[in-house]
């Protein structure tokens, strides 16, 4: 190994996919950086259209993890020997990168979690709610931003209220305003971008309105980092959670950002190694400072280094460029699929309002069977079902959907294969 630095950030310093004054990039060149995307089965390419579920990991993130395992597989923050020191250095560097990615004031405000789900659970279970506090959600949340609050409600701690979204799943600011007045929530917990329709909630406005009414805001940003620059200071959000695996990084790593005065208020949801400085026989435990106080046990060190490398790589492509590319793919597919008899697209009809998502149903067709046929007969991988938005389905009804979702590495040729397959199978 060269000198002694873990170099998580040096993944591909030579790469810069951005082009001056240009909103696109060379997709074929980019695809070389995603090994899983370039496979064939029985002579036909495998086409992955399920990036809203999990993105394909980039080579830079694979390399960063490999570097940890092959060069310094030590224990972060505990061992002073060579492996331990290098691992700690890599871990600290990674946290700095993540904070920088979010424009957080300090790396100390970034808590490492397993995923978005853990971030929401951490806040739900450790924020000092008073009995009877109201938490406000939308009716369009992912189960990961519904179940933790339902569990807290079931324990009698909070009351829950839901903002009903418009028919096309866009956010209803008027209904929200009324609920802020009448329910006086302590905290509002909302998605930024929906995994079912791709609709984006007006979070800047939502946060302003909530703060005017004295409510805190937790953002479920699971679907955001791939196509949006997240600036927690500019947004002024109180908590924000996202997952590495939806941002071309490794699985099993997530991030919870919190304003420092609020993170301070979180009790220790999980305790153990790394969370205590000392356990006094008489006075009990003396806990470590933030953020390690909230990160019990040995964490996914290679995963965090992989995430940092992925974020570097993501920024080298540019989220605006990714968004523009994906919307052009969504426009192409949407304009073709609306012509299919009996096919209806869920959510706003303009593809630009749906971002990476194209969810649809076909009259008289079972969505899961259809998705299975796309996989088996055309090598096209899409998702089908209720996509973990169960509360919305239970209140509005409706059958399962077929969801295609695009990533930075998808091509127009892949979209053509997908459209032709849908047209043939639906006909
Ligand atoms: C909007 C949204 N929130 C939360 C989650 C949960 O993410 P994770 O499983 O990584 O915790 C997802 C995953 O699909 C999501 O799309």
């Amino acid at each position: 190994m060269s000198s002694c630095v873990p170099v998580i950030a040096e993944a591909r310093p030579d790469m810069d996919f951005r082009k001056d004054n240009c909103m696109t990039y060379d997709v074929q060149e980019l695809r070389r950086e995603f090994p899983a995307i370039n496979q064939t089965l029985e002579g036909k390419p495998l086409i992955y259209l399920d990036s809203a579920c999990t993105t394909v990991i980039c080579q830079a993130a694979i390399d960063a993890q490999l570097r940890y395992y092959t060069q310094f597989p030590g224990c972060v923050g505990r061992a002073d020997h060579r492996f331990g020191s290098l691992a700690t250095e890599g871990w600290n560097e990674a946290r700095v990168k993540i904070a920088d990615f979010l424009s957080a004031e300090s790396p100390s405000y970034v808590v490492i979690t397993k995923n978005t789900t853990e971030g929401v659970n951490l806040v739900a279970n450790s924020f000092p709610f008073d009995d009877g506090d109201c938490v406000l959600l939308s009716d369009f949340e992912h189960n990961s931003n519904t179940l933790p609050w339902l569990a807290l409600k079931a324990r009698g701690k909070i009351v829950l209220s839901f903002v009903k979204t418009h028919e096309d799943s866009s956010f209803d600011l008027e209904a929200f305003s009324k609920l802020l007045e009448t329910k006086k929530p302590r905290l509002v917990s909302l998605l930024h971008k929906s995994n079912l329709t791709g609709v984006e909630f007006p979070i800047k406005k939502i946060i302003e309105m909530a703060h005017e009414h004295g409510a805190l805001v937790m953002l479920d940003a699971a679907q955001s980092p791939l196509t949006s620059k997240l600036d927690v200071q500019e947004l002024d959000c109180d908590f924000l959670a996202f997952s590495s695996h939806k941002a071309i990084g490794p699985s099993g790593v997530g991030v919870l950002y919190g304003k420092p005065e609020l993170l301070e208020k979180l009790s220790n949801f999980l305790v153990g190694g790394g969370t205590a400085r000392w356990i006094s026989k008489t006075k009990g435990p003396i806990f470590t400072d933030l953020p390690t106080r909230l990160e019990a046990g040995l964490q996914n060190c290679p995963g965090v280094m992989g995430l940092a490398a992925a974020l570097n790589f993501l920024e080298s492509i540019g989220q605006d460029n990714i968004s523009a590319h994906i919307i052009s793919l969504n426009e192409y597919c949407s304009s073709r699929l609306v012509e299919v008899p009996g096919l209806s697209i869920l959510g706003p009809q303009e593809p630009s309002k749906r971002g990476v998502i194209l969810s649809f149903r076909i009259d008289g067709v079972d969505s899961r069977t259809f998705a299975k046929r796309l996989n088996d007969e055309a090598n096209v991988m899409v998702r089908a079902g209720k996509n973990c938005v169960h509360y919305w389905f239970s209140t509005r009804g409706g059958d399962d959907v077929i969801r295609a979702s695009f990533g930075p590495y998808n091509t127009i040729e892949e979209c053509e294969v997908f459209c032709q397959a849908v047209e043939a199978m639906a006909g």
Side-chain angles (χ1 to χ4, degrees):
M1 163 184 178
S2 65
S3 66
C4 60
V5 186
V7 289
I8 55 104
E10 203 189 88
R12 299 300 297 262
D14 52 322
M15 287 276 168
D16 189 349
F17 291 91
R18 283 171 297 194
K19 293 179 179 174
D20 287 345
N21 302 321
C22 180
M23 292 298 286
T24 56
Y25 48 88
D26 186 335
V27 187
Q28 291 304 337
E29 197 174 326
L30 186 77
R31 284 171 71 85
R32 291 196 208 113
E33 300 299 317
F34 293 88
I37 211 76
N38 292 305
Q39 301 183 64
T40 54
L41 183 67
E42 290 162 2
K44 281 195 300 188
L46 285 178
I47 298 176
Y48 185 73
L49 295 181
D50 197 15
S51 290
C53 183
T54 193
T55 50
V56 171
I57 189 171
C58 62
Q59 186 65 50
I62 298 171
D63 291 345
Q65 294 180 94
L66 204 60
R67 220 162 14 243
Y68 167 84
Y69 282 121
T70 55
Q71 297 178 9
F72 47 90
C75 196
V76 167
R78 298 182 193 177
D80 288 334
H81 52 62
R82 183 176 173 81
F83 282 0
S85 311
L86 289 177
T88 303
E89 207 176 315
W91 167 269
N92 290 339
E93 240 189 82
R95 201 196 296 273
V96 168
K97 173 66 218 173
I98 296 164
D100 178 62
F101 181 79
L102 293 173
S103 298
E105 303 89 322
S106 157
S108 311
Y109 310 158
V110 165
V111 180
I112 303 301
T113 61
K114 285 204 303 287
N115 43 39
T116 308
T117 305
E118 187 179 311
V120 180
N121 272 281
L122 184 57
V123 174
N125 285 283
S126 57
F127 186 79
F129 288 108
D130 293 325
D131 287 348
D133 274 346
C134 173
V135 171
L136 192 56
L137 311 177
S138 85
D139 64 356
F140 207 51
E141 300 302 316
H142 190 278
N143 291 354
S144 291
N145 191 30
T146 307
L147 288 167
W149 305 112
L150 282 174
L152 204 58
K153 178 179 176 233
R155 298 209 294 274
K157 188 73 196 163
I158 57 161
V159 293
L160 265 186
S161 196
F162 293 86
V163 187
K164 194 171 172 223
T165 46
H166 291 299
E167 272 313 298
D168 69 353
S169 78
S170 59
F171 195 74
D172 187 340
L173 282 169
E174 216 171 293
F176 179 55
S177 174
K178 281 192 193 128
L179 287 169
L180 285 173
E181 291 287 343
T182 54
K183 303 287 179 183
K184 306 200 180 339
R186 179 92 183 267
L187 183 132
V188 172
S189 190
L190 293 173
L191 59 86
H192 175 206
K193 294 184 180 188
S194 156
N195 63 309
L196 186 60
T197 59
V199 86
E200 181 174 338
F201 283 1
I203 48 171
K204 182 91 180 118
K205 182 79 189 151
I206 286 171
I207 292 168
E208 271 169 27
M209 288 169 70
H211 285 173
E212 274 165 23
H213 287 80
L216 299 171
V217 179
M218 158 113 214
L219 277 187
D220 167 359
Q223 293 289 337
S224 312
L226 189 66
T227 48
S228 289
K229 171 83 190 116
L230 293 167
D231 181 331
V232 289
Q233 292 190 68
E234 216 253 314
L235 286 172
D236 197 25
C237 58
D238 300 293
F239 295 105
L240 178 147
F242 79 90
S243 303
S244 158
H245 73 97
K246 293 187 195 285
I248 63 174
S251 212
V253 176
V255 172
L256 173 71
Y257 159 84
K259 284 184 179 165
E261 67 278 14
L262 297 172
L263 286 181
E264 282 299 349
K265 286 187 181 171
L266 299 187
S267 62
N268 298 352
F269 175 43
L270 296 171
V271 282
T275 61
R277 273 186 213 299
W278 180 242
I279 304 177
S280 151
K281 201 170 148 191
T282 48
K283 294 188 191 137
I286 300 161
F287 289 106
T288 48
D289 294 331
L290 289 170
T292 44
R293 176 171 71 76
L294 298 169
E295 296 169 347
L298 189 64
Q299 303 291 307
N300 182 351
C301 324
V304 171
M305 293 173 206
L307 168 60
L311 298 181
N312 268 324
F313 189 61
L314 197 56
E315 287 176 333
S316 78
I317 313 166
Q319 288 130 304
D320 284 351
N321 292 338
I322 294 175
S323 178
H325 173 67
I326 286 177
I327 286 172
S328 72
L329 299 180
N330 203 342
E331 275 165 356
Y332 183 83
C333 294
S334 299
S335 66
R336 283 279 291 274
L337 296 197
V338 284
E339 300 298 326
V340 172
L343 187 148
S344 53
I345 293 176
L346 214 69
Q349 295 306 289
E350 301 101 293
S352 63
K353 292 194 177 161
R354 285 185 276 106
V356 307
I357 309 272
L358 171 50
S359 290
F360 60 93
R361 296 187 182 103
I362 306 172
D363 288 346
V365 168
D366 177 70
S367 291
R368 285 174 191 254
T369 310
F370 196 85
K372 179 92 174 59
R373 282 188 65 200
L374 281 173
N375 179 72
D376 296 350
E377 296 171 31
N379 283 353
V380 175
M381 293 173 263
V382 296
R383 174 125 174 237
K386 298 194 168 58
N387 297 322
C388 294
V389 190
H390 293 172
Y391 184 83
W392 184 79
F393 276 96
S394 81
T395 51
R396 307 282 176 106
D399 295 331
D400 289 350
V401 301
I402 302 157
R403 182 187 72 185
S405 57
F406 308 95
Y409 29 70
N410 288 125
T411 63
I412 205 83
E413 291 78 14
E414 290 180 319
C415 289
E416 179 59 33
V417 173
F418 164 62
C419 291
Q420 282 185 16
V422 173
E423 286 160 359
M425 288 178 196

